[in-house]
Amino acid sequence: MTTLTVSRKRYLPILATLVMLVGAFGFGSARYDGFADSQVVLNLLIDNAFLLVVAAGMTFVILSGGIDLSVGSVVALSTLVSAKLLGHGWPAPVVILVVLVIGASLGLGMGAVIHFFELQPFVVTLAGMFLARGLCYTISVESISITNPFFTYVAQTPISLPGGTHVSIGVVIALVVVAVGVYVLHYTRFGRTVYAVGGSEQSAMLMGLPVGRTKIQIYAVSGFCSALGGLLLAFYTLSGNPLHAIGMELDAIAAVVIGGTVLTGGSGYLLGTVLGVTVLGVIQTLITFDGTLSSWWTRIVIGALLFLFIVLQRLVTRRTR
Amino acid sequence: MNTYARLVKHRLFWPAAALVLLLLGNFVASPRFFAVQFREGHLYGSLIDILRFGAPLILVALGMTLVIATGGIDLSVGSVVAISGAVACLWVSRLGDQNSLGGTLGAVGIAIALSLLLGACNGFLVSVLGVQPIVGTLILMVAGRGLAQLITDGQIITITGTHYRDIGGGFVATVPLSILIALAAFGISSLAVRKSALGMLIEAVGGNPEASRLAGVASRRLIWLTYVFCGLCAGVAGLMISSNVSSADGNNAGLWIELDAILAVVIGGTRLTGGRFSFGGTVIGALLIQTLSTTVYTLGIPPETTLLFKAVVVLAVCLVQSPQFRRKFARRSRRSVPVVKDEKVEVTL
Amino acid sequence: MPAEILRMTGIRKEFAGVVALDDVDFRLFPGEVHALMGENGAGKSTLIKVLTGVHGVDAGTVLFAGEPVSFAGPAAAQRGGVSTVYQEVNLCPNLSVAENILLGREPRRFGRIHWSALRRRAVELLARLEVSLDVSAPLGQQSIAVQQLVAIARALDVDARVLVLDEPTSSLDPGEVERLLGVMRSLRAQGMAILFVSHFIDQVLAIADRMTVLRNGKLVGEYTDITARELVAKMIGKDLPVLEGLRGEVRHGEGTLMQASDLGRKGSVAPFSLEISRGSVLGLAGLLGSGRTELARLLFGADHADSGEVRIDDTPVALRSPRVAVSKGIAFCSENRKTEGLIQDLTVRENIILAMQAARGWTRPLSRRRQDEIVARSIELLDIRPADPEARAGDLSGGNQQKVLLARWLITEPKLLILDEPTRGIDVGAKAEIQRLVAELTADGMAVVFISAELEEVLRVSDKVAVLRDRHVVAQLANDSLTPDDIMATIADGGER
């Protein structure tokens, strides 16, 4: 009996998200014509593919009990580096590789500092945020447009789906990232160690798990995902801009939390994050469809949801302990 | 111990030295840097500008100091700055006569009341519900920007009231009012924490929460209070920032100020883990950051690259404060001496 | 008898000049439970850490299955066949039972974790301990006892030949202890060599085939057949110095100040009833870990009691928090000066006035002159050195830190002062001063609860002694000509004399 209630509580946040998603979607389709159109749903994915990738990386970090405030800046840096290098005539594959390596190494560096000097992740990634944003400005203070044929091809080629709908290549990449992420978290020792570290770092260490290595890898994963998210954003906007993705770390954190991952770490699912991103997308779409509501309502609603879920988490964790 | 050694050991020595060095560097680059002019009964000059534009940061950082001293953090100050400015400007813009003193004071009162309320919300989340400070204040950081834009309806509200403009741009007895406000805030809060038992009890709670609990300290109330104070400081800073430009911009007012404030506090020698704090150090830290921005500007470097400097400073300060870093460093410099585990590392920065 | 699996000979270990283990021998046979006994600081944990490779040895040899070994650390020891389960369950509550057993060595197929094989293996391992439960449920839902069993299952997975159980029963209730002992019996029957560390005498006598007693880092002896009384005597040491009494008559105090009835907290102290009288000293005696500190914490509201009630001056009081207790005139000097007592970064002056100021609230500060007066008087009264009120508290020696804590509470003029190990780690002179102070305070009408590991000290200062054993108050004795032997006998017999 107790077992049943407790395990039900474990899924309570994610269930709440699901109910909310269905509710918001039902509300939208009842109220606005064409809201339930399948292309509208797919557009939601197209518009948020880069956020999905970044939030996937953030899920790893938060599951381990950390936080990464640098993601938005790394996204912006990635768009700028791509635009700049492509502008210099570098071939697209090399540029992509360089961007991904930069992102992963930034994450690796931050993870190493966090682990070796036992600094709070929030401070170190804050410095990383400044650093990446500052690097952006040293590259360019203005938007640089991308004309590289490969990038424009990726940006403009829709993948047709049955029913006359389509998605972008970015969506496919994002979904692949999610699939790989789910596999890694669930089926590899690295993934399980992420959960173990989030549950109790001390215990994980005493159980002989490679805690330090795992922590560093987690931030590298987040850096890599941010860089990839940056590439998707570059595909999506065909530009590099130092002002891209300001405040995106908050969207990513919100998506992860709304998706049911506990901020203290150790509990949550990557698929929940997908739900979280979808919720944010539906809210945006609702506000766009309404027409009378202004865009800032998005922020307010996200804030309110974040509040709701954090309080919910407190209640759930308090009861089970 | 001679005077020199005592001076170097003082915990404000290094931040103060860095500030002086930076100012001297500016002097070398542009000899007119220290010149203070007296024009139309007002003081002008680079130094005055640093103080004037640094005033909002000083205010926010003062509030942040107490929060950090309890072992917390407040990420929402930027949003509070935006909301406070937005409410005040909206109120003034609706006045029949924007130059009415009563109306302006009403606007100020409402903005401050709202800031106190927002601070109280943060405090409630952290001290009563027990949410981690980073997370609890993140909520208002996210939603606050939206609220500010809601208040301004997404526009930049421009006002013409002269009284309101005086908050940030006025002069009293030749000195810019904003400097006086910052000075007063520094003076009053220093007196308030040191003349009452507030400062000591906050340091006790931040220094050892469990020991404080066992000594009967009402830490919940104290922590709550620090967030309210932080909200108040951010609110006043918001008034100042919006008054400086006679307009309220829900989107950009106070952007990044939470980071600058945290940085100022840390440079000022207050540790992020809580405990001993120093308002004086915080002011020096805030001035250092403001001077850095000014320097970058006068040297003709793109102003946005100050972020790079800040990143380096944050990391350097945190590394110097990290016991692990010191231990590794010490081991390298004195290889043969066994390093004793030292829990009570003094902060030299 | 089979050949010994483990033999440690002449083990010596020093820490910065302090000898923690001195020429200690220890041996362990397959199919036996061998208890390692001794008070805290006797060297039990150091010996285990030497065995599992946490510490190197300064002298002596460790033979494992006849081969000399020197493990590089707990992980290496585990691979070598020596597994350890600690007092605190070091597992991840958020993961499933199965994962906790096999984390880090999950069965894999095609490079990925083979979940069904993992669960199967976990069920098998638990079955060996005669435990069956849903292995995919999160560990955090299980009781501490089950978590302890899961930790053992994890330790057993690596073909362990020696299982070290370090105080595994500390947080278990009697039923759970019985279950764990059952598991130990069945493992013993399977030929496992078990090293059992515990200070619960009943449990040790119930299960151990052989006992090794350490005292002050030295080997007292190895015993197979021993009574509880002898065992306690071996642990504490017989050669107690004879001290002259500090007190004359037994004082029965001047009326009851505090009355606790059936006060208790699960996993901490069994319900007890006590009366504390004004102007008298109640001593708490018992071995380390017998529940003395836990009892004191309940009286101060530092932990919440889950049964019983407290009356002060015959009025029921809900001790919700230390703050409430302080307002009722109760003061508590914790045994952990560093973590629960001093604010290291603050000055001596600030530390002394902390409790008084906290009680007044921040809006009514003590004037600096008053502070200086009070602090100067305290420094003089207690002879705190250095006599500098502005010295950083963390820089003081242990004895002086203790005096600062004492001063913090004395200036609040409490009705009841609870002292948990006030003389631990301080020199003889300071010790006598503190004992004398306690006598003076009670002469002025204060009630004192005095906790100390040194029985003779408890007897010197106390009018009444409550004896604890295995988290129960087993006896309350009026201290007229009690001797340490009487107390030891009471502890050993569990109060049934």
Side-chain angles (χ1 to χ4, degrees):
Chain A
M1 184 61 208
T2 41
T3 320
L4 193 72
T5 46
V6 172
S7 56
R8 204 187 284 157
K9 263 187 187 137
R10 233 160 93 85
Y11 297 107
L12 192 64
I14 207 164
L15 273 177
T17 311
L18 205 59
V19 168
M20 206 168 59
L21 185 62
V22 171
F25 197 76
F27 173 80
S29 28
R31 192 138 172 214
Y32 310 110
D33 287 338
F35 189 89
D37 185 80
S38 42
Q39 188 56 48
V40 171
V41 179
L42 292 175
N43 283 346
L44 196 145
L45 279 178
I46 295 172
D47 296 340
N48 289 297
F50 67 102
L51 177 61
L52 185 54
V53 173
V54 174
M58 185 69 88
T59 309
F60 276 77
V61 178
I62 293 184
L63 275 177
S64 77
I67 199 139
D68 187 350
L69 297 178
S70 73
V71 291
S73 302
V74 175
V75 165
L77 182 65
S78 305
T79 67
L80 262 181
V81 170
S82 326
K84 190 77 174 181
L85 293 183
L86 291 170
H88 284 306
W90 288 43
V94 177
V95 171
I96 290 173
L97 194 71
V98 167
V99 165
L100 292 179
V101 168
I102 291 177
S105 345
L106 275 174
L108 198 76
M110 290 187 287
V113 172
I114 290 168
H115 171 61
F116 289 117
F117 301 126
E118 291 179 34
L119 292 177
Q120 290 159 290
F122 126 80
V123 182
V124 176
T125 55
L126 189 70
M129 174 193 202
F130 278 142
L131 189 78
R133 195 64 78 177
L135 283 175
C136 285
Y137 290 122
T138 57
I139 294 172
S140 164
V141 287
E142 277 156 14
S143 182
I144 307 174
S145 58
I146 296 173
T147 52
N148 176 284
F150 178 75
F151 272 60
T152 42
Y153 170 81
V154 173
Q156 288 161 1
T157 309
I159 297 176
S160 297
L161 293 177
T165 56
H166 62 88
V167 292
S168 65
I169 293 177
V171 172
V172 176
I173 296 175
L175 292 179
V176 168
V177 168
V178 169
V180 171
V182 168
Y183 177 85
V184 168
L185 279 178
H186 198 65
Y187 286 110
T188 66
R189 285 189 180 168
F190 168 68
R192 300 321 293 172
T193 311
V194 172
Y195 278 92
V197 170
S200 165
E201 194 174 323
Q202 170 88 15
S203 295
M205 199 118 63
L206 285 169
M207 286 163 99
L209 301 177
V211 173
R213 196 179 75 207
T214 306
K215 270 169 80 179
I216 296 174
Q217 283 169 345
I218 287 166
Y219 287 91
V221 165
S222 177
F224 177 85
C225 285
S226 306
L228 187 57
L231 285 174
L232 294 190
L233 188 62
F235 292 147
Y236 183 67
T237 59
L238 280 180
S239 69
N241 190 332
L243 294 175
H244 269 330
I246 284 186
M248 187 177 179
E249 50 281 346
L250 305 179
D251 288 340
I253 293 170
V256 173
V257 171
I258 292 173
T261 300
V262 179
L263 260 164
T264 44
S267 164
Y269 304 94
L270 190 49
L271 286 176
T273 301
V274 177
L275 280 186
V277 171
T278 321
V279 167
L280 296 188
V282 167
I283 292 167
Q284 272 165 14
T285 315
L286 266 178
I287 286 167
T288 324
F289 261 76
D290 184 272
T292 58
L293 284 175
S294 320
S295 60
W296 46 86
W297 276 103
T298 324
R299 305 241 73 147
I300 298 176
V301 175
I302 292 176
L305 286 182
L306 207 51
F307 174 78
L308 201 77
F309 275 84
I310 286 169
V311 172
L312 193 69
Q313 284 183 4
R314 286 299 304 172
L315 295 179
V316 171
T317 46
R318 204 175 267 181
R319 294 277 160 71
T320 47
R321 260 166 215 168
Chain B
M1 209 190 313
N2 61 31
T3 331
Y4 171 75
R6 223 175 324 164
L7 191 71
V8 172
K9 280 203 105 172
H10 194 275
R11 58 202 203 129
L12 293 187
F13 175 78
W14 288 109
L19 179 60
V20 169
L21 220 65
L22 198 58
L23 290 172
L24 284 178
N26 271 296
F27 179 65
V28 172
S30 129
R32 289 188 40 74
F33 189 76
F34 283 137
V36 175
Q37 293 161 351
F38 193 71
R39 260 189 277 149
E40 299 157 29
H42 302 331
L43 290 174
Y44 283 101
S46 300
L47 288 181
I48 301 293
D49 280 349
I50 289 175
L51 285 172
R52 226 179 95 189
F53 296 122
L57 178 58
I58 291 176
L59 276 171
V60 175
L62 286 177
M64 188 70 83
T65 307
L66 284 195
V67 170
I68 290 183
T70 64
I73 197 112
D74 188 350
L75 295 181
S76 73
V77 285
S79 293
V80 176
V81 161
I83 292 174
S84 150
V87 166
C89 285
L90 182 69
W91 186 268
V92 172
S93 72
R94 296 263 171 91
L95 288 174
D97 171 17
Q98 291 204 12
N99 288 327
S100 113
L101 182 61
T104 309
L105 286 178
V108 169
I110 285 179
I112 286 181
L114 191 59
S115 310
L116 289 171
L117 182 73
L118 292 172
C121 288
N122 281 331
F124 177 77
L125 278 174
V126 174
S127 68
V128 179
L129 290 186
V131 178
Q132 306 137 270
I134 308 177
V135 176
T137 56
L138 185 75
I139 298 172
L140 187 56
M141 184 186 186
V142 177
R145 286 270 159 220
L147 282 175
Q149 280 174 296
L150 178 69
I151 293 166
T152 62
D153 200 24
Q155 310 293 312
I156 293 179
I157 301 180
T158 313
I159 54 165
T160 55
T162 52
H163 286 307
Y164 193 75
R165 202 187 308 151
D166 281 344
I167 300 173
F171 289 81
V172 171
T174 78
V175 185
L177 182 61
S178 55
I179 299 182
L180 292 177
I181 293 177
L183 203 64
F186 171 62
I188 293 171
S189 40
S190 298
L191 275 183
V193 295
R194 294 302 171 198
K195 286 296 162 194
S196 78
L198 199 56
M200 188 197 94
L201 292 179
I202 286 175
E203 287 176 341
V205 169
N208 189 340
E210 180 60 11
S212 304
R213 186 178 83 94
L214 290 181
V217 179
S219 37
R220 184 180 288 185
R221 243 178 287 165
L222 281 173
I223 291 175
W224 200 337
L225 197 67
T226 60
Y227 283 91
V228 173
F229 176 69
C230 192
L232 171 70
C233 289
V236 177
L239 293 175
M240 221 179 254
I241 289 174
S242 63
S243 147
N244 260 331
V245 288
S246 280
S247 65
D249 178 353
N251 222 357
N252 292 314
L255 200 62
W256 305 111
I257 203 168
E258 58 277 352
L259 306 178
D260 283 351
I262 295 168
L263 193 54
V265 173
V266 173
I267 292 175
T270 304
R271 259 176 292 177
L272 273 174
T273 44
R276 283 274 188 224
F277 66 88
S278 155
F279 277 146
T282 297
V283 170
I284 292 178
L287 289 177
L288 186 65
I289 292 170
Q290 190 59 41
T291 312
L292 194 69
S293 308
T294 313
T295 310
V296 166
Y297 189 74
T298 46
L299 291 183
I301 308 171
E304 294 84 356
T305 41
T306 25
L307 285 174
L308 268 186
F309 286 97
K310 285 178 190 166
V312 175
V313 175
V314 174
L315 261 187
V317 171
C318 289
L319 282 182
V320 168
Q321 288 187 359
S322 151
Q324 283 72 26
F325 180 78
R326 286 163 160 250
R327 217 169 296 151
K328 277 174 189 155
F329 189 72
R331 204 172 295 155
R332 217 150 287 154
S333 52
R334 303 172 276 155
R335 200 156 286 170
S336 57
V337 183
V339 181
V340 185
K341 245 194 195 166
D342 186 12
E343 288 167 309
K344 30 173 202 198
V345 182
E346 286 283 337
V347 181
T348 46
L349 239 170
Chain C
M1 182 169 273
E4 52 199 27
I5 180 82
L6 180 73
R7 180 177 202 108
M8 304 172 81
T9 325
I11 302 293
R12 181 181 175 83
K13 178 73 197 166
E14 284 182 28
F15 293 105
V18 180
V19 181
L21 289 176
D22 184 13
D23 194 21
V24 172
D25 299 337
F26 182 81
R27 53 189 189 142
L28 186 61
F29 293 91
E32 75 162 0
V33 174
H34 189 149
L36 186 58
M37 305 286 292
E39 288 205 290
N40 272 26
K44 291 172 303 187
S45 29
T46 313
L47 190 67
I48 287 175
K49 283 176 178 160
V50 164
L51 170 62
T52 55
V54 177
H55 299 317
V57 288
D58 295 331
T61 52
V62 181
L63 291 180
F64 180 70
E67 301 285 319
V69 289
S70 162
F71 297 116
Q78 201 170 42
R79 280 192 301 275
V82 178
S83 285
T84 312
V85 174
Y86 298 94
Q87 175 178 0
E88 292 95 33
V89 181
N90 288 302
L91 297 174
C92 296
N94 57 322
L95 298 180
S96 71
V97 169
E99 279 197 272
N100 270 296
I101 296 176
L102 293 156
L103 204 59
R105 40 174 191 270
E106 300 91 340
R108 286 189 287 193
R109 197 171 54 177
F110 314 124
R112 50 170 255 183
I113 295 172
H114 191 358
W115 281 96
S116 54
L118 182 132
R119 281 189 287 271
R120 226 169 22 242
R121 180 100 186 92
V123 170
E124 283 166 21
L125 285 164
L126 285 172
R128 208 174 145 195
L129 305 180
E130 288 158 11
V131 179
S132 92
L133 49 93
D134 175 12
V135 294
S136 36
L139 181 80
Q141 290 173 12
Q142 313 295 337
S143 67
I144 299 287
V146 171
Q147 295 190 20
Q148 197 71 260
L149 293 175
V150 171
I152 294 176
R154 178 178 172 82
L156 290 181
D157 179 45
V158 261
D159 298 321
R161 299 172 69 186
V162 170
L163 179 63
V164 180
L165 299 174
D166 189 359
E167 305 274 6
T169 53
S170 299
S171 36
L172 305 188
D173 68 29
E176 294 171 335
V177 168
E178 208 31 67
R179 188 167 181 193
L180 183 66
L181 296 186
V183 166
M184 285 167 67
R185 284 189 194 99
S186 78
L187 285 174
R188 171 170 64 187
Q190 293 165 32
M192 178 71 69
I194 299 174
L195 198 175
F196 180 48
V197 182
S198 173
H199 42 236
F200 291 99
I201 294 152
D202 288 344
Q203 294 167 16
V204 168
L205 290 174
I207 186 131
D209 303 299
R210 189 193 305 271
M211 285 156 241
T212 290
V213 178
L214 300 181
R215 189 171 70 237
N216 297 331
K218 292 200 174 69
L219 179 68
V220 177
E222 190 191 84
Y223 311 94
T224 46
D225 199 14
I226 190 168
T227 65
R229 248 180 123 145
E230 287 163 349
L231 186 59
V232 172
K234 302 275 183 221
M235 284 167 66
I236 296 175
K238 274 284 202 180
D239 44 348
L240 297 167
V242 184
L243 284 159
E244 68 223 78
L246 199 63
R247 307 160 312 100
E249 299 279 286
V250 174
R251 295 164 298 181
H252 292 290
E254 302 131 33
T256 306
L257 172 71
M258 186 195 231
Q259 213 174 355
S261 17
D262 293 324
L263 199 65
R265 178 180 159 91
K266 201 172 179 307
S268 172
V269 206
F272 61 88
S273 298
L274 278 181
E275 268 187 30
I276 300 167
S277 308
R278 282 194 191 77
S280 75
V281 180
L282 170 68
L284 295 186
L287 301 182
L288 276 162
S290 57
R292 302 175 318 206
T293 299
E294 290 79 359
L295 192 157
R297 287 178 66 92
L298 287 187
L299 294 181
F300 186 60
D303 293 328
H304 291 264
D306 49 22
S307 69
E309 70 158 7
V310 173
R311 300 171 84 88
I312 293 175
D313 289 329
D314 227 22
T315 321
V317 176
L319 295 174
R320 285 186 310 274
S321 68
R323 203 170 154 67
V324 174
V326 172
S327 73
K328 301 290 172 199
I330 307 175
F332 172 62
C333 282
S334 165
E335 62 174 333
N336 299 316
R337 289 190 285 262
K338 284 217 156 82
T339 54
E340 295 175 359
L342 286 186
I343 321 280
Q344 311 234 358
D345 259 348
L346 298 194
T347 63
V348 168
R349 170 178 57 83
E350 289 168 320
N351 269 292
I352 289 179
I353 62 157
L354 183 63
M356 193 184 215
Q357 185 62 65
R360 293 168 65 102
W362 65 269
T363 47
R364 296 198 301 135
L366 288 158
S367 75
R368 185 58 190 261
R369 232 188 51 219
R370 204 58 221 285
Q371 290 184 24
D372 288 340
E373 254 170 53
I374 294 172
V375 171
R377 207 171 335 124
S378 301
I379 288 180
E380 201 196 316
L381 177 75
L382 296 170
D383 191 22
I384 295 171
R385 283 180 218 169
D388 172 13
E390 301 308 313
R392 186 174 165 277
D395 293 339
L396 266 57
S397 70
N400 283 299
Q401 291 187 347
Q402 182 61 48
K403 289 180 187 170
V404 169
L405 265 189
L406 210 50
R408 174 190 292 173
W409 290 114
L410 288 184
I411 62 169
T412 65
E413 295 174 354
K415 291 189 234 165
L416 170 63
L417 177 62
I418 304 171
L419 299 172
D420 192 358
E421 296 283 359
T423 60
R424 185 198 289 167
I426 67 181
D427 62 69
V428 184
K431 221 174 212 175
E433 275 174 55
I434 286 175
Q435 292 170 5
R436 199 166 305 122
L437 187 72
V438 168
E440 281 168 27
L441 291 171
T442 43
D444 296 341
M446 194 184 289
V448 174
V449 172
F450 192 94
I451 303 175
S452 173
E454 290 175 47
L455 293 178
E456 60 272 34
E457 185 179 52
V458 174
L459 291 176
R460 275 189 90 188
V461 298
S462 307
D463 299 294
K464 195 167 77 170
V465 180
V467 181
L468 283 110
R469 165 173 162 171
D470 301 357
R471 320 235 164 195
H472 287 265
V473 175
V474 291
Q476 297 185 41
L477 313 167
N479 183 12
D480 44 3
S481 64
L482 278 178
T483 64
D485 283 340
D486 297 334
I487 303 280
M488 275 185 334
T490 313
I491 293 173
D493 302 343
E496 296 146 12
R497 278 205 299 163

